mmCIF file of all heavy atoms in Angstrom:
data_model
loop_
_atom_site.group_PDB
_atom_site.id
_atom_site.type_symbol
_atom_site.label_atom_id
_atom_site.label_comp_id
_atom_site.label_asym_id
_atom_site.label_seq_id
_atom_site.Cartn_x
_atom_site.Cartn_y
_atom_site.Cartn_z
ATOM 1 N N ASP R 1 -4.244 -23.143 -12.317
ATOM 2 C CA ASP R 1 -3.135 -22.551 -11.498
ATOM 3 C C ASP R 1 -2.774 -21.189 -12.062
ATOM 4 O O ASP R 1 -2.649 -20.211 -11.260
ATOM 5 C CB ASP R 1 -1.925 -23.504 -11.567
ATOM 6 C CG ASP R 1 -0.806 -23.029 -10.709
ATOM 7 O OD1 ASP R 1 -0.903 -22.768 -9.528
ATOM 8 O OD2 ASP R 1 0.265 -22.664 -11.373
ATOM 9 N N LYS R 2 -2.672 -21.092 -13.381
ATOM 10 C CA LYS R 2 -2.309 -19.792 -13.944
ATOM 11 C C LYS R 2 -3.422 -18.852 -13.915
ATOM 12 O O LYS R 2 -3.205 -17.628 -13.607
ATOM 13 C CB LYS R 2 -1.866 -20.025 -15.374
ATOM 14 C CG LYS R 2 -0.485 -20.703 -15.575
ATOM 15 C CD LYS R 2 -0.087 -20.783 -16.965
ATOM 16 C CE LYS R 2 1.280 -21.396 -17.186
ATOM 17 N NZ LYS R 2 1.736 -21.573 -18.593
ATOM 18 N N GLY R 3 -4.658 -19.298 -14.205
ATOM 19 C CA GLY R 3 -5.811 -18.429 -14.299
ATOM 20 C C GLY R 3 -6.346 -17.907 -12.988
ATOM 21 O O GLY R 3 -6.817 -16.802 -12.854
ATOM 22 N N LEU R 4 -6.302 -18.714 -11.936
ATOM 23 C CA LEU R 4 -6.964 -18.378 -10.682
ATOM 24 C C LEU R 4 -5.900 -18.162 -9.557
ATOM 25 O O LEU R 4 -5.813 -17.060 -8.964
ATOM 26 C CB LEU R 4 -7.987 -19.419 -10.269
ATOM 27 C CG LEU R 4 -8.729 -19.117 -8.931
ATOM 28 C CD1 LEU R 4 -9.518 -17.798 -9.061
ATOM 29 C CD2 LEU R 4 -9.685 -20.331 -8.635
ATOM 30 N N ILE R 5 -5.176 -19.159 -9.313
ATOM 31 C CA ILE R 5 -4.215 -19.128 -8.160
ATOM 32 C C ILE R 5 -3.176 -18.092 -8.354
ATOM 33 O O ILE R 5 -3.010 -17.168 -7.554
ATOM 34 C CB ILE R 5 -3.564 -20.487 -7.902
ATOM 35 C CG1 ILE R 5 -4.652 -21.615 -7.740
ATOM 36 C CG2 ILE R 5 -2.638 -20.413 -6.738
ATOM 37 C CD1 ILE R 5 -5.516 -21.323 -6.465
ATOM 38 N N ASP R 6 -2.537 -18.108 -9.555
ATOM 39 C CA ASP R 6 -1.492 -17.133 -9.811
ATOM 40 C C ASP R 6 -2.044 -15.749 -9.916
ATOM 41 O O ASP R 6 -1.394 -14.793 -9.455
ATOM 42 C CB ASP R 6 -0.723 -17.546 -11.178
ATOM 43 C CG ASP R 6 0.110 -18.758 -10.961
ATOM 44 O OD1 ASP R 6 0.289 -19.163 -9.834
ATOM 45 O OD2 ASP R 6 0.705 -19.175 -11.986
ATOM 46 N N ALA R 7 -3.293 -15.603 -10.549
ATOM 47 C CA ALA R 7 -3.875 -14.273 -10.693
ATOM 48 C C ALA R 7 -4.200 -13.740 -9.306
ATOM 49 O O ALA R 7 -3.983 -12.519 -9.024
ATOM 50 C CB ALA R 7 -5.186 -14.334 -11.481
ATOM 51 N N THR R 8 -4.725 -14.546 -8.355
ATOM 52 C CA THR R 8 -5.076 -14.100 -7.039
ATOM 53 C C THR R 8 -3.791 -13.680 -6.267
ATOM 54 O O THR R 8 -3.832 -12.574 -5.622
ATOM 55 C CB THR R 8 -5.804 -15.186 -6.263
ATOM 56 O OG1 THR R 8 -7.018 -15.582 -7.004
ATOM 57 C CG2 THR R 8 -6.173 -14.736 -4.894
ATOM 58 N N VAL R 9 -2.858 -14.591 -6.333
ATOM 59 C CA VAL R 9 -1.576 -14.274 -5.607
ATOM 60 C C VAL R 9 -0.980 -12.966 -6.154
ATOM 61 O O VAL R 9 -0.529 -12.162 -5.435
ATOM 62 C CB VAL R 9 -0.675 -15.423 -5.662
ATOM 63 C CG1 VAL R 9 0.731 -15.078 -5.109
ATOM 64 C CG2 VAL R 9 -1.229 -16.607 -4.955
ATOM 65 N N ASN R 10 -0.973 -12.937 -7.526
ATOM 66 C CA ASN R 10 -0.327 -11.768 -8.134
ATOM 67 C C ASN R 10 -1.050 -10.462 -7.779
ATOM 68 O O ASN R 10 -0.492 -9.413 -7.588
ATOM 69 C CB ASN R 10 -0.182 -11.951 -9.644
ATOM 70 C CG ASN R 10 0.905 -13.003 -9.965
ATOM 71 O OD1 ASN R 10 1.739 -13.324 -9.196
ATOM 72 N ND2 ASN R 10 0.666 -13.624 -11.195
ATOM 73 N N GLY R 11 -2.408 -10.620 -7.742
ATOM 74 C CA GLY R 11 -3.273 -9.441 -7.433
ATOM 75 C C GLY R 11 -3.018 -8.940 -5.983
ATOM 76 O O GLY R 11 -2.921 -7.726 -5.775
ATOM 77 N N ILE R 12 -3.023 -9.851 -5.048
ATOM 78 C CA ILE R 12 -2.755 -9.473 -3.687
ATOM 79 C C ILE R 12 -1.357 -8.889 -3.518
ATOM 80 O O ILE R 12 -1.185 -7.881 -2.797
ATOM 81 C CB ILE R 12 -2.898 -10.759 -2.755
ATOM 82 C CG1 ILE R 12 -4.351 -11.200 -2.747
ATOM 83 C CG2 ILE R 12 -2.410 -10.445 -1.325
ATOM 84 C CD1 ILE R 12 -4.522 -12.533 -2.003
ATOM 85 N N ALA R 13 -0.403 -9.501 -4.250
ATOM 86 C CA ALA R 13 0.966 -8.933 -4.135
ATOM 87 C C ALA R 13 0.990 -7.515 -4.719
ATOM 88 O O ALA R 13 1.697 -6.630 -4.151
ATOM 89 C CB ALA R 13 1.931 -9.833 -4.928
ATOM 90 N N ASN R 14 0.339 -7.316 -5.925
ATOM 91 C CA ASN R 14 0.363 -5.948 -6.448
ATOM 92 C C ASN R 14 -0.417 -4.978 -5.541
ATOM 93 O O ASN R 14 0.055 -3.828 -5.400
ATOM 94 C CB ASN R 14 -0.356 -5.981 -7.819
ATOM 95 C CG ASN R 14 0.525 -6.719 -8.871
ATOM 96 O OD1 ASN R 14 1.761 -6.748 -8.753
ATOM 97 N ND2 ASN R 14 -0.167 -7.361 -9.858
ATOM 98 N N LEU R 15 -1.499 -5.453 -4.906
ATOM 99 C CA LEU R 15 -2.227 -4.539 -4.009
ATOM 100 C C LEU R 15 -1.406 -4.170 -2.782
ATOM 101 O O LEU R 15 -1.332 -3.019 -2.347
ATOM 102 C CB LEU R 15 -3.560 -5.220 -3.547
ATOM 103 C CG LEU R 15 -4.378 -4.434 -2.537
ATOM 104 C CD1 LEU R 15 -4.900 -3.082 -3.172
ATOM 105 C CD2 LEU R 15 -5.572 -5.303 -2.090
ATOM 106 N N THR R 16 -0.676 -5.197 -2.278
ATOM 107 C CA THR R 16 0.170 -4.894 -1.166
ATOM 108 C C THR R 16 1.294 -3.967 -1.480
ATOM 109 O O THR R 16 1.644 -3.088 -0.681
ATOM 110 C CB THR R 16 0.753 -6.233 -0.625
ATOM 111 O OG1 THR R 16 -0.306 -7.191 -0.285
ATOM 112 C CG2 THR R 16 1.614 -6.038 0.584
ATOM 113 N N ARG R 17 1.828 -4.206 -2.699
ATOM 114 C CA ARG R 17 2.908 -3.332 -3.112
ATOM 115 C C ARG R 17 2.457 -1.889 -3.299
ATOM 116 O O ARG R 17 3.130 -0.929 -2.852
ATOM 117 C CB ARG R 17 3.537 -3.868 -4.415
ATOM 118 C CG ARG R 17 4.675 -3.033 -4.996
ATOM 119 C CD ARG R 17 5.299 -3.760 -6.215
ATOM 120 N NE ARG R 17 4.235 -3.997 -7.227
ATOM 121 C CZ ARG R 17 3.900 -3.026 -8.107
ATOM 122 N NH1 ARG R 17 4.404 -1.807 -8.035
ATOM 123 N NH2 ARG R 17 2.975 -3.349 -9.024
ATOM 124 N N ARG R 18 1.274 -1.732 -3.962
ATOM 125 C CA ARG R 18 0.720 -0.324 -4.140
ATOM 126 C C ARG R 18 0.385 0.317 -2.841
ATOM 127 O O ARG R 18 0.659 1.509 -2.598
ATOM 128 C CB ARG R 18 -0.430 -0.428 -5.108
ATOM 129 C CG ARG R 18 -0.037 -0.701 -6.531
ATOM 130 C CD ARG R 18 -1.189 -0.359 -7.447
ATOM 131 N NE ARG R 18 -2.370 -1.228 -7.206
ATOM 132 C CZ ARG R 18 -2.506 -2.398 -7.845
ATOM 133 N NH1 ARG R 18 -1.686 -2.734 -8.779
ATOM 134 N NH2 ARG R 18 -3.548 -3.145 -7.623
ATOM 135 N N SER R 19 -0.204 -0.544 -1.929
ATOM 136 C CA SER R 19 -0.540 -0.016 -0.577
ATOM 137 C C SER R 19 0.721 0.431 0.141
ATOM 138 O O SER R 19 0.740 1.475 0.799
ATOM 139 C CB SER R 19 -1.301 -1.043 0.248
ATOM 140 O OG SER R 19 -2.472 -1.429 -0.412
ATOM 141 N N GLY R 20 1.740 -0.340 -0.002
ATOM 142 C CA GLY R 20 3.011 0.014 0.724
ATOM 143 C C GLY R 20 3.532 1.313 0.123
ATOM 144 O O GLY R 20 4.112 2.132 0.839
ATOM 145 N N GLN R 21 3.438 1.440 -1.230
ATOM 146 C CA GLN R 21 3.908 2.684 -1.787
ATOM 147 C C GLN R 21 3.131 3.911 -1.339
ATOM 148 O O GLN R 21 3.695 4.941 -1.072
ATOM 149 C CB GLN R 21 3.820 2.568 -3.335
ATOM 150 C CG GLN R 21 4.895 1.567 -3.888
ATOM 151 C CD GLN R 21 4.651 1.393 -5.389
ATOM 152 O OE1 GLN R 21 3.629 1.846 -6.007
ATOM 153 N NE2 GLN R 21 5.619 0.767 -6.081
ATOM 154 N N ARG R 22 1.758 3.710 -1.180
ATOM 155 C CA ARG R 22 0.937 4.790 -0.699
ATOM 156 C C ARG R 22 1.297 5.132 0.780
ATOM 157 O O ARG R 22 1.353 6.307 1.107
ATOM 158 C CB ARG R 22 -0.601 4.416 -0.755
ATOM 159 C CG ARG R 22 -1.104 4.182 -2.200
ATOM 160 C CD ARG R 22 -1.080 5.487 -2.981
ATOM 161 N NE ARG R 22 -1.617 5.344 -4.322
ATOM 162 C CZ ARG R 22 -1.679 6.283 -5.219
ATOM 163 N NH1 ARG R 22 -1.094 7.492 -4.912
ATOM 164 N NH2 ARG R 22 -2.161 6.080 -6.387
ATOM 165 N N LEU R 23 1.463 4.081 1.606
ATOM 166 C CA LEU R 23 1.834 4.346 2.994
ATOM 167 C C LEU R 23 3.204 5.056 3.032
ATOM 168 O O LEU R 23 3.441 5.899 3.887
ATOM 169 C CB LEU R 23 1.888 3.038 3.707
ATOM 170 C CG LEU R 23 0.520 2.417 3.996
ATOM 171 C CD1 LEU R 23 0.743 1.026 4.620
ATOM 172 C CD2 LEU R 23 -0.345 3.272 4.896
ATOM 173 N N ARG R 24 4.105 4.651 2.130
ATOM 174 C CA ARG R 24 5.444 5.224 2.158
ATOM 175 C C ARG R 24 5.283 6.768 1.790
ATOM 176 O O ARG R 24 6.072 7.571 2.353
ATOM 177 C CB ARG R 24 6.273 4.531 1.130
ATOM 178 C CG ARG R 24 7.727 5.120 1.028
ATOM 179 C CD ARG R 24 8.477 4.308 0.020
ATOM 180 N NE ARG R 24 9.853 4.850 -0.015
ATOM 181 C CZ ARG R 24 10.820 4.408 -0.914
ATOM 182 N NH1 ARG R 24 10.450 3.486 -1.769
ATOM 183 N NH2 ARG R 24 12.020 4.933 -0.860
ATOM 184 N N GLN R 25 4.345 7.114 0.961
ATOM 185 C CA GLN R 25 4.140 8.556 0.596
ATOM 186 C C GLN R 25 3.631 9.261 1.756
ATOM 187 O O GLN R 25 3.870 10.498 1.902
ATOM 188 C CB GLN R 25 3.156 8.648 -0.567
ATOM 189 C CG GLN R 25 3.857 8.125 -1.911
ATOM 190 C CD GLN R 25 2.793 8.140 -3.072
ATOM 191 O OE1 GLN R 25 1.616 8.548 -2.863
ATOM 192 N NE2 GLN R 25 3.289 7.702 -4.287
ATOM 193 N N LEU R 26 2.829 8.548 2.656
ATOM 194 C CA LEU R 26 2.281 9.257 3.817
ATOM 195 C C LEU R 26 3.350 9.557 4.870
ATOM 196 O O LEU R 26 3.115 10.384 5.784
ATOM 197 C CB LEU R 26 1.158 8.418 4.411
ATOM 198 C CG LEU R 26 -0.057 8.185 3.577
ATOM 199 C CD1 LEU R 26 -1.034 7.279 4.293
ATOM 200 C CD2 LEU R 26 -0.827 9.575 3.361
ATOM 201 N N GLN R 27 4.441 8.884 4.770
ATOM 202 C CA GLN R 27 5.548 9.117 5.733
ATOM 203 C C GLN R 27 6.332 10.389 5.389
ATOM 204 O O GLN R 27 7.426 10.360 4.874
ATOM 205 C CB GLN R 27 6.425 7.921 5.815
ATOM 206 C CG GLN R 27 5.788 6.653 6.308
ATOM 207 C CD GLN R 27 6.709 5.449 6.361
ATOM 208 O OE1 GLN R 27 7.815 5.561 5.735
ATOM 209 N NE2 GLN R 27 6.184 4.301 6.871
ATOM 210 N N SER R 28 5.625 11.533 5.598
ATOM 211 C CA SER R 28 6.241 12.856 5.210
ATOM 212 C C SER R 28 7.091 13.482 6.352
ATOM 213 O O SER R 28 7.806 14.396 6.035
ATOM 214 C CB SER R 28 5.123 13.795 4.820
ATOM 215 O OG SER R 28 4.245 14.056 5.915
ATOM 216 N N GLY R 29 6.929 12.919 7.541
ATOM 217 C CA GLY R 29 7.634 13.521 8.653
ATOM 218 C C GLY R 29 6.904 14.707 9.353
ATOM 219 O O GLY R 29 7.452 15.291 10.294
ATOM 220 N N ILE R 30 5.743 15.055 8.899
ATOM 221 C CA ILE R 30 4.973 16.198 9.395
ATOM 222 C C ILE R 30 4.007 15.635 10.412
ATOM 223 O O ILE R 30 3.178 14.750 10.083
ATOM 224 C CB ILE R 30 4.240 16.973 8.318
ATOM 225 C CG1 ILE R 30 5.216 17.496 7.257
ATOM 226 C CG2 ILE R 30 3.407 18.139 8.913
ATOM 227 C CD1 ILE R 30 4.586 18.172 6.103
ATOM 228 N N ILE R 31 4.018 16.138 11.639
ATOM 229 C CA ILE R 31 3.119 15.593 12.762
ATOM 230 C C ILE R 31 1.661 15.850 12.408
ATOM 231 O O ILE R 31 0.847 14.944 12.750
ATOM 232 C CB ILE R 31 3.524 16.312 14.087
ATOM 233 C CG1 ILE R 31 4.982 15.952 14.422
ATOM 234 C CG2 ILE R 31 2.614 15.908 15.181
ATOM 235 C CD1 ILE R 31 5.470 16.664 15.733
ATOM 236 N N ASN R 32 1.319 16.881 11.818
ATOM 237 C CA ASN R 32 -0.080 17.134 11.468
ATOM 238 C C ASN R 32 -0.665 16.016 10.602
ATOM 239 O O ASN R 32 -1.779 15.595 10.797
ATOM 240 C CB ASN R 32 -0.256 18.487 10.840
ATOM 241 C CG ASN R 32 0.100 19.640 11.822
ATOM 242 O OD1 ASN R 32 -0.048 19.432 13.069
ATOM 243 N ND2 ASN R 32 0.434 20.810 11.283
ATOM 244 N N HIS R 33 0.136 15.610 9.634
ATOM 245 C CA HIS R 33 -0.270 14.523 8.708
ATOM 246 C C HIS R 33 -0.521 13.261 9.509
ATOM 247 O O HIS R 33 -1.486 12.499 9.249
ATOM 248 C CB HIS R 33 0.736 14.362 7.649
ATOM 249 C CG HIS R 33 0.841 15.511 6.654
ATOM 250 N ND1 HIS R 33 1.772 15.587 5.658
ATOM 251 C CD2 HIS R 33 0.040 16.607 6.540
ATOM 252 C CE1 HIS R 33 1.546 16.744 4.955
ATOM 253 N NE2 HIS R 33 0.566 17.373 5.574
ATOM 254 N N TYR R 34 0.414 12.969 10.406
ATOM 255 C CA TYR R 34 0.252 11.682 11.179
ATOM 256 C C TYR R 34 -0.975 11.701 12.058
ATOM 257 O O TYR R 34 -1.626 10.740 12.254
ATOM 258 C CB TYR R 34 1.534 11.471 12.064
ATOM 259 C CG TYR R 34 2.779 11.158 11.269
ATOM 260 C CD1 TYR R 34 4.074 11.402 11.823
ATOM 261 C CD2 TYR R 34 2.657 10.589 10.008
ATOM 262 C CE1 TYR R 34 5.179 11.109 11.076
ATOM 263 C CE2 TYR R 34 3.852 10.331 9.267
ATOM 264 C CZ TYR R 34 5.113 10.528 9.863
ATOM 265 O OH TYR R 34 6.250 10.248 9.136
ATOM 266 N N ALA R 35 -1.173 12.870 12.669
ATOM 267 C CA ALA R 35 -2.333 13.039 13.551
ATOM 268 C C ALA R 35 -3.622 12.834 12.759
ATOM 269 O O ALA R 35 -4.562 12.135 13.158
ATOM 270 C CB ALA R 35 -2.294 14.401 14.250
ATOM 271 N N LEU R 36 -3.624 13.443 11.578
ATOM 272 C CA LEU R 36 -4.820 13.303 10.708
ATOM 273 C C LEU R 36 -5.036 11.900 10.348
ATOM 274 O O LEU R 36 -6.143 11.361 10.306
ATOM 275 C CB LEU R 36 -4.636 14.193 9.421
ATOM 276 C CG LEU R 36 -5.799 14.128 8.423
ATOM 277 C CD1 LEU R 36 -7.175 14.611 9.043
ATOM 278 C CD2 LEU R 36 -5.482 14.947 7.167
ATOM 279 N N ALA R 37 -3.949 11.162 9.965
ATOM 280 C CA ALA R 37 -4.029 9.777 9.581
ATOM 281 C C ALA R 37 -4.551 8.968 10.731
ATOM 282 O O ALA R 37 -5.370 8.009 10.559
ATOM 283 C CB ALA R 37 -2.670 9.276 9.137
ATOM 284 N N MET R 38 -4.170 9.212 11.935
ATOM 285 C CA MET R 38 -4.559 8.470 13.132
ATOM 286 C C MET R 38 -6.019 8.742 13.423
ATOM 287 O O MET R 38 -6.824 7.777 13.685
ATOM 288 C CB MET R 38 -3.771 8.928 14.398
ATOM 289 C CG MET R 38 -2.315 8.481 14.296
ATOM 290 S SD MET R 38 -1.342 9.059 15.721
ATOM 291 C CE MET R 38 -2.157 8.191 17.085
ATOM 292 N N VAL R 39 -6.455 9.965 13.233
ATOM 293 C CA VAL R 39 -7.928 10.287 13.436
ATOM 294 C C VAL R 39 -8.742 9.559 12.407
ATOM 295 O O VAL R 39 -9.723 8.922 12.642
ATOM 296 C CB VAL R 39 -8.191 11.789 13.289
ATOM 297 C CG1 VAL R 39 -9.644 12.124 13.336
ATOM 298 C CG2 VAL R 39 -7.467 12.502 14.496
#
């Protein structure tokens, strides 16, 4: 449980948290950035 299940869950949680932080940084309010991201 500690070695596999908890590690997997914690890894996904950390990845999600970091991804969220990266996405939050992308929210600059500049339309050009949003357009680039969409492309």
Side-chain angles (χ1 to χ4, degrees):
D1 179 63
K2 288 182 177 180
L4 180 62
I5 303 300
D6 288 354
T8 302
V9 172
N10 291 336
I12 293 173
N14 291 330
L15 178 63
T16 303
R17 180 173 57 81
R18 288 195 295 268
S19 299
Q21 290 176 348
R22 295 295 182 185
L23 290 174
R24 184 179 180 184
Q25 293 175 357
L26 293 175
Q27 295 176 355
S28 61
I30 301 174
I31 296 177
N32 293 337
H33 291 174
Y34 291 157
L36 178 61
M38 292 176 63
V39 170

